[in-house]
Amino acid sequence: MAEGAGFEPARELTPPTRFPGVRTRPDYAIPPGRHSVGAVNGLDFIDQMGAALEEARLAVGHGDVPVGAVLLDATGAVVASDHNRREELADPTAHAEMLVISRRARELGDWRLTGHTLVVTLEPCPMCAGAAMWARLDRIVYGAADPKAGGVWSLYNIPQDRRLNHRCDVIADVRAEECGTLLSDFFVRKR
């Protein structure tokens, strides 16, 4: 059909937000660097990250990327701990974060984990950040940033996205150097 006879020339499409181009995190998101790693309910998360690091080291034994996670209840007690098991279980969803969230939810018989804190050695991916948000966790504490797949701050900011119905506080860089070294050493040996 010719122009003017029911044909409309293509219109330039604009993104559905007020931002030019693609946005992966909203402009109101609070960068984790602005959070104090000071005490939250008397916890500085240093020791809890140590427990997550111990878990991460176990993943290497079965060829998994060394990522470990612990889940804390409202009192700060570790109520679940695990490490990546994707290779071991041949399950793409067997990330440390998913395993601890699932274990605790089954134990409580409730998917709502309000009052809980996820402590993980590597910034959670979008799947794990989404699971933490859907589980209604209070906060996510992570060690090393993940510039290639981070769903908490590096690429996306799922836990603080106002378009979703729940948000989590975020604390980053707890023992980040130690967490990052564990990962880089693993990949150096793997190559």
Side-chain angles (χ1 to χ4, degrees):
M1 296 171 100
E3 269 189 27
F7 173 80
E8 278 187 56
R11 287 188 221 135
E12 187 175 321
L13 296 176
T14 56
T17 66
R18 65 182 174 90
F19 305 109
V22 177
R23 289 283 295 195
T24 57
R25 60 178 178 248
D27 64 340
Y28 51 78
I30 302 166
R34 291 190 189 159
H35 286 275
S36 166
V37 181
V40 175
N41 295 337
L43 298 174
D44 61 9
F45 302 109
I46 302 296
D47 293 338
Q48 292 81 1
M49 186 61 75
L53 280 161
E54 287 177 30
E55 277 292 336
R57 290 182 187 100
L58 297 174
V60 177
H62 44 80
D64 273 291
V65 175
V67 175
V70 296
L71 194 64
L72 312 176
D73 66 10
T75 69
V78 174
V79 292
S81 61
D82 216 328
H83 53 275
N84 275 4
R85 294 178 183 271
R86 291 184 314 165
E87 298 296 330
E88 180 184 39
L89 301 176
D91 180 354
T93 68
H95 292 199
E97 303 95 306
M98 299 293 286
L99 296 170
V100 297
I101 290 169
S102 294
R103 180 172 299 131
R104 183 62 172 168
R106 280 191 310 273
E107 180 182 296
L108 293 177
D110 190 356
W111 59 269
R112 292 173 195 86
L113 299 178
T114 307
H116 288 73
T117 297
L118 176 66
V119 180
V120 60
T121 57
L122 179 65
E123 177 183 1
C125 71
M127 173 182 68
C128 296
M133 189 262 316
W134 293 126
R136 310 292 197 266
L137 298 183
D138 283 6
R139 83 188 44 79
I140 298 170
V141 177
Y142 67 88
D146 187 352
K148 293 184 179 180
V152 172
W153 183 256
S154 297
L155 292 180
Y156 303 98
N157 187 262
I158 293 166
Q160 295 177 331
D161 193 325
R162 287 185 195 152
R163 296 168 295 184
L164 300 170
N165 66 338
H166 179 73
R167 279 158 293 288
C168 303
D169 290 334
V170 176
I171 298 175
D173 299 324
V174 177
R175 295 177 74 166
E177 189 174 329
E178 194 175 347
C179 294
T181 300
L182 181 64
L183 287 158
S184 47
D185 288 352
F186 171 78
F187 287 111
V188 165
R189 283 191 305 273
K190 196 138 174 98
R191 292 183 185 127

